[in-house]
Amino acid sequence: MKSLTRKLSRSSSSNMPPGFLTGSAGVGWAASLLGLTSLAMPFWESAWGQVEETDNASMFYGRSGIGMSMLQAFESTGQGVWIERSSSIASRIRKMISAGAGGKFVEGLTSNGDPILGWGLGQSGPSLYLFRHGQASGDASAVHLAKELLAGEMGHSRDWNGVPAFEFEGTAEPYLEVGAAGIAQVAARLGCKDIARKCLKAISYRHMVLPGYIFGGAGVAEANFDLGRMLGDPHVAKVGRGQLEAVIDVFGVRPEFVHGASWALGQSGRVFPGEGLMKSSCDFATGSAGILRVARRMAGGYPNELFGDHFSFAGERC
């Protein structure tokens, strides 16, 4: 912790993008969750300062992620200015929403003319943010709009033998970044449990192509684990545990098989391949850190802070 504190205190957010996954909003969020609120402040300020020029509304790279970080700042400090800033971001996102044949969607979060469906890059990101903003601010219209976006996401899905298919660039995906897992997670938190149950059909498979958190089996496993608890269905939670076991069994390899016996001397455990399965990765999004997070949550059951379950103003938690 001392090393992290020292690095944060020496870091500059001036040349940093504002996003949640790879920018100042996410750094501020993480620092705050570690109790380093004073060090989080300059990163939050930097993210807020770039809201106007950010024309993306996604959770990972755009205004929804910045907005969630503003809500975390409010949670940490109790200062009303952060709710005011969140309201400004929510207002900007409202202006980006259009209505299509399948229902409402956020402009800009599209691929080949079709809305991107999912939590990280797609429509569920703004939906979750508007919902949490509505809870924090008491703005019932934001909660209503969040549910309309979720309904629009379902309206843009395809039916595949009774299973909702959330396609991204021609492929039905089950993941958090895009696909069914993120949509199911958001639906459960919005209280739309019928939608969450429909999505379960698309994330019940034991084996995935990739192991990671945002675009792999670990994130899908966590979705089943959370939904099992929120829907009161122990079998679904068990499916999630089985999926994580499969991720570890199929993709986890001993360090010496990847890096050589001399490098791995004294090392234990498993390493996991990242994006493209070309090399071992320790990062949160695609590698060991994200998989470890899911394993730790399944072992300890602490709230899923990425979906705002830890907020004091949140309703049903997981």
Side-chain angles (χ1 to χ4, degrees):
M1 182 67 83
K2 288 182 180 179
S3 175
L4 176 61
T5 301
R6 184 168 57 252
K7 289 178 180 178
L8 283 173
S9 64
R10 294 174 179 175
S11 297
S12 171
S13 58
S14 58
N15 296 318
M16 190 177 291
F20 187 78
L21 182 64
T22 58
S24 52
V27 175
W29 172 282
S32 174
L33 288 176
L34 291 169
L36 305 175
T37 300
S38 61
L39 294 177
M41 285 292 182
F43 295 98
W44 285 331
E45 291 288 356
S46 176
W48 165 247
Q50 297 180 70
V51 166
E52 185 64 38
E53 62 195 64
T54 302
D55 59 0
N56 181 306
S58 74
M59 181 62 69
F60 281 176
Y61 302 108
R63 289 174 174 171
S64 294
I66 299 172
M68 286 290 282
S69 199
M70 298 298 100
L71 295 179
Q72 176 61 28
F74 171 67
E75 176 76 11
S76 298
T77 67
Q79 297 172 356
V81 63
W82 300 108
I83 286 292
E84 294 173 8
R85 291 178 175 182
S86 180
S87 295
S88 177
I89 293 171
S91 177
R92 285 176 167 88
I93 292 176
R94 288 175 190 265
K95 294 176 182 178
M96 301 171 73
I97 295 175
S98 296
K104 290 188 176 180
F105 67 97
V106 180
E107 294 179 350
L109 301 183
T110 57
S111 177
N112 298 323
D114 296 319
I116 298 174
L117 310 178
W119 170 66
L121 300 182
Q123 306 295 317
S124 283
S127 180
L128 177 69
Y129 163 60
L130 289 170
F131 176 69
R132 293 304 192 199
H133 170 73
Q135 288 183 312
S137 65
D139 184 354
S141 67
V143 173
H144 180 72
L145 183 56
K147 294 182 178 181
E148 286 188 307
L149 284 176
L150 179 65
E153 203 156 26
M154 295 301 295
H156 286 96
S157 67
R158 300 181 187 275
D159 182 85
W160 186 62
N161 295 327
V163 178
F166 303 98
E167 294 185 355
F168 179 68
E169 297 182 354
T171 303
E173 302 289 6
Y175 303 122
L176 288 174
E177 183 175 74
V178 292
I183 297 168
Q185 288 275 44
V186 173
R189 285 158 177 84
L190 268 60
C192 302
K193 295 186 177 181
D194 287 344
I195 292 177
R197 289 188 180 93
K198 288 180 181 178
C199 292
L200 281 175
K201 298 178 181 179
I203 60 173
S204 61
Y205 312 108
R206 181 169 175 81
H207 295 290
M208 306 288 166
V209 176
L210 297 166
Y213 183 71
I214 69 169
F215 200 82
V220 176
E222 184 183 57
N224 274 294
F225 177 72
D226 280 358
L227 264 66
R229 299 169 72 193
M230 298 186 79
L231 298 175
D233 190 336
H235 173 72
V236 175
K238 184 178 180 180
V239 168
R241 293 182 185 276
Q243 288 173 323
L244 183 63
E245 290 173 0
V247 165
I248 294 170
D249 290 343
V250 172
F251 294 99
V253 295
R254 292 187 59 79
E256 59 264 30
F257 295 131
V258 179
H259 300 288
S262 59
W263 181 92
L265 186 64
Q267 303 287 331
S268 61
R270 308 281 186 95
V271 295
F272 294 87
E275 181 130 10
L277 304 179
M278 298 299 290
K279 60 182 180 180
S280 62
S281 170
C282 63
D283 71 37
F284 175 80
T286 67
S288 298
I291 296 168
L292 180 61
R293 175 186 186 274
V294 176
R296 177 66 183 86
R297 284 202 62 237
M298 289 187 181
Y302 62 85
N304 193 335
E305 76 286 346
L306 290 175
F307 289 86
D309 293 352
H310 67 299
F311 288 146
S312 59
F313 51 78
E316 187 170 3
R317 303 166 187 272
C318 188

